[in-house]
Amino acid sequence: MPVSLARWCGLVLISALLILVLETVQIPAALLLGPMFAAIGFAATSRPVNIARPLFRSAQAVVGAMIAAAIPPSIFHEIARQWPLFLGCVVSVIAASLVLGGLLARFRVLPGSTAIWGSSPGAATAMTLMAESFGADVRLVAFMQYLRVMVVALVATLVTRLWVSDMPDVAAARINWFAPVPLWPLCATLLVIAGSVLLAHWVKLPAGPMLLALVLATVAQDAGVLAITLPETLLALAYAFVGWGIGLRFSAEILRHAAHALPRVLLSVFTLVAVCAGFAWLLVRFAGIDPLTAYLATSPGGADSVAIIASSSKVDLPFVMAMQTGRFILVMLTGPVLSRWIANWMHRRETE
């Protein structure tokens, strides 16, 4: 058996076993976390598995369509009605991440632009791709981003089990793998997904497949021309490829390169998670948002992984994704300017 095929078989088997364990203890998003942990193990032991880029991008597009299916037209009116709340939360999370990134740069844990991009609370894949275009060390940015995604996923699943333990239906519902699927809505949904992947290839938008699928499917659904249909098997495959795509970025090279900064980076990650949990408490206390929705909405993780966790829990998914998407767009718009400004400011201080 070829080495690559043997590794793939091993990755799939270990992922399945981890999913089974996580499902047994009723951990939400097991279909994402199991493959992610398995992939990290393979990457850390220098047994990488290559995932074709179109597969990962297609998985992102499926997640985007899944998010769109949970966003009714009324959510946009709700965002407009509560825009001060959304704006305040988004700006607060970004400000907290900038402060922590600036501290990492100030104490020379990481170079200035690398610390800022690594701390940015946007989609991890997009931040990594954008950082490479703006002079940051993409290896350390990927390390910080995907480490935070993993920490946020773990903390979020614990929150679903502990913080709202009085809600008996928070755990993921039993999946009906053999539910009948209407053919034409499925074909139309797959056409939107494929079109999003192709369009993202041409427009070169970071995290484009997910964002374009989200936008196109939402518009088509709200216009009444598309009934988004996603079989559970397709969602499971998409979750697995997203998890593998995240985990396999923890290559042995990245881990060795970042090992000396790990304690301080972890402290920064947990601090940002704690600060965002504080913002979530404010939403619960003063805006009447339920605790799990507030936590996931303010979590500084990747929008795709948060979407998967949120979809398997009893939360207001449109609110969560509106907050996550709004923050991502704002980070994309301001990230290059802020990272360059802070890097230049740090350089001037060092040369004075």
Side-chain angles (χ1 to χ4, degrees):
M1 180 183 294
V3 174
S4 59
L5 180 58
R7 289 178 179 174
W8 260 112
C9 291
L11 179 61
V12 171
L13 178 60
I14 295 174
S15 298
L17 291 174
L18 289 175
I19 289 173
L20 180 61
V21 171
L22 295 175
E23 288 282 4
T24 300
V25 295
Q26 296 185 327
I27 296 296
L31 294 173
L32 168 72
L33 295 178
M36 182 193 300
F37 294 152
I40 290 173
F42 270 66
T45 54
S46 300
R47 290 195 296 269
V49 176
N50 294 322
I51 294 181
R53 187 174 178 83
L55 290 176
F56 183 64
R57 292 168 67 85
S58 298
Q60 282 190 316
V62 171
V63 173
M66 180 271 292
I67 299 169
I71 300 180
S74 59
I75 187 59
F76 300 105
H77 300 291
E78 187 69 13
I79 293 175
R81 188 174 67 86
Q82 301 189 69
W83 69 265
L85 175 66
F86 279 87
L87 183 61
C89 289
V90 167
V91 172
S92 297
V93 174
I94 293 176
S97 69
L98 285 174
V99 170
L100 290 171
L103 290 174
L104 289 175
R106 173 67 179 83
F107 293 103
R108 300 183 180 180
V109 177
L110 297 169
S113 60
T114 298
I116 298 304
W117 281 108
S119 300
S120 295
T125 303
M127 294 302 101
T128 302
L129 293 174
M130 292 178 67
E132 191 172 15
S133 303
F134 290 92
D137 187 331
V138 68
R139 296 170 299 175
L140 285 175
V141 171
F143 170 77
M144 291 180 65
Q145 285 286 340
Y146 289 104
L147 178 64
R148 190 177 70 242
V149 167
M150 184 181 68
V151 169
V152 167
L154 285 171
V155 174
T157 54
L158 290 175
V159 168
T160 62
R161 299 291 293 153
L162 302 176
W163 195 354
V164 289
S165 58
D166 58 320
M167 297 168 57
D169 51 354
V170 165
R174 185 175 298 276
I175 296 174
N176 183 1
W177 296 104
F178 304 103
V181 178
L183 180 59
W184 290 114
L186 172 61
C187 292
T189 301
L190 293 178
L191 185 62
V192 170
I193 291 171
S196 301
V197 174
L198 292 175
L199 184 59
H201 176 73
W202 288 105
V203 301
K204 305 295 184 182
L205 177 68
M210 186 184 71
L211 289 179
L212 289 173
L214 170 59
V215 172
L216 294 178
T218 299
V219 171
Q221 177 179 245
D222 294 348
V225 299
L226 174 66
I228 301 174
T229 303
L230 295 167
E232 296 294 345
T233 51
L234 178 61
L235 286 174
L237 284 174
Y239 295 168
F241 275 103
V242 170
W244 288 332
I246 292 172
L248 288 172
R249 287 181 178 263
F250 282 88
S251 67
E253 180 184 4
I254 292 175
L255 294 176
R256 286 195 302 267
H257 192 78
H260 71 282
L262 178 60
R264 287 167 288 184
V265 170
L266 271 176
L267 177 61
S268 172
V269 168
F270 279 111
T271 300
L272 183 58
V273 170
V275 169
C276 290
F279 295 146
W281 180 85
L282 293 176
L283 285 177
V284 174
R285 178 67 177 81
F286 297 105
I289 308 297
D290 72 88
L292 186 55
T293 294
Y295 176 78
L296 291 177
T298 57
S299 290
D304 45 10
S305 57
V306 169
I308 294 171
I309 294 169
S311 68
S312 63
S313 308
K314 186 179 179 181
V315 298
D316 185 348
L317 182 57
F319 183 90
V320 171
M321 295 318 303
M323 193 77 75
Q324 290 282 340
T325 303
R327 189 178 68 215
F328 167 66
I329 293 172
L330 188 57
V331 168
M332 280 190 60
L333 294 175
T334 61
V337 174
L338 290 173
S339 66
R340 186 180 298 111
W341 180 80
I342 292 179
N344 290 338
W345 179 72
M346 294 298 302
H347 179 71
R348 287 196 301 270
R349 285 183 58 89
E350 292 174 357
T351 55
E352 287 177 356

